[in-house]
Amino acid sequence: MNTTPEQLKETIHKAKKGNQMAFSSLLDRFWNEVYNFQLGRTKNENDAEDITIQTFSRAFDKIQTFDEAYEFKTWLFTISKNIHVDLLRKRKRNILEQSSPGIPDAIKKVLDDAPTAEDQLIQDQNLASLLGHIRNLKPHYREVINLRYFQELSYAAIAEELDEPINNVKVKLLRAKKLLAELIKGK
């Protein structure tokens, strides 16, 4: 989808005003470029897809901060790169914590990672609360959340199931996650 710089500028202005079609247009226009950028960095389709979703989510949340003196694509790639770096740092920290030299191997073998009854109760309550929030979403958002996170379908499979273009599914899922987050925060 080729757009002139003027059309892109107009789409960004509309997105800054909260126009959902403008967000969808930007997602359609730049999804493959950001995804391929991350696929090259991560060499993992799932990570590339997750980082790309997070990139657009963060970009749409922070669209007001975009400075039009710069290229929109460069701004997206910078956000995407930072999310990837954060992911790598988090994984590295987890690996270091798991292999901490301060804890002898004998103690690590004794430590029980199984959840206690209290932990399980809290987990069950959190799941019940999450399901309650999901039920408050509009049916089409509930359905896409269910297909992606409970049935663990790929975007392509969801698009086929709903008979919609894959980019519509991506936008719908992005919007559903944002609305769900707002419900959880109590807005």
Side-chain angles (χ1 to χ4, degrees), residues 17-35:
K17 293 178 182 175
N19 183 307
Q20 291 300 312
M21 293 301 292
F23 287 133
S24 180
S25 177
L26 292 171
L27 185 91
D28 288 345
R29 167 69 179 85
F30 293 102
W31 176 271
N32 288 337
E33 293 179 67
V34 174
Y35 175 78

Side-chain angles (χ1 to χ4, degrees), residues 126-150 173 176-177 179-181 183-184:
N126 287 340
L127 180 59
S129 174
L130 177 63
L131 291 173
H133 288 303
I134 291 172
R135 277 192 287 277
N136 290 330
L137 292 172
K138 291 181 180 177
H140 59 279
Y141 290 135
R142 268 197 317 257
E143 183 177 29
V144 76
I145 291 277
N146 177 41
L147 292 171
R148 180 67 177 161
Y149 295 105
F150 293 99
L173 186 61
K177 286 171 41 179
L179 290 170
L180 186 57
L183 284 173
I184 291 169

Side-chain angles (χ1 to χ4, degrees), residues 27 50 54:
L27 185 91
D50 288 344
Q54 290 177 42

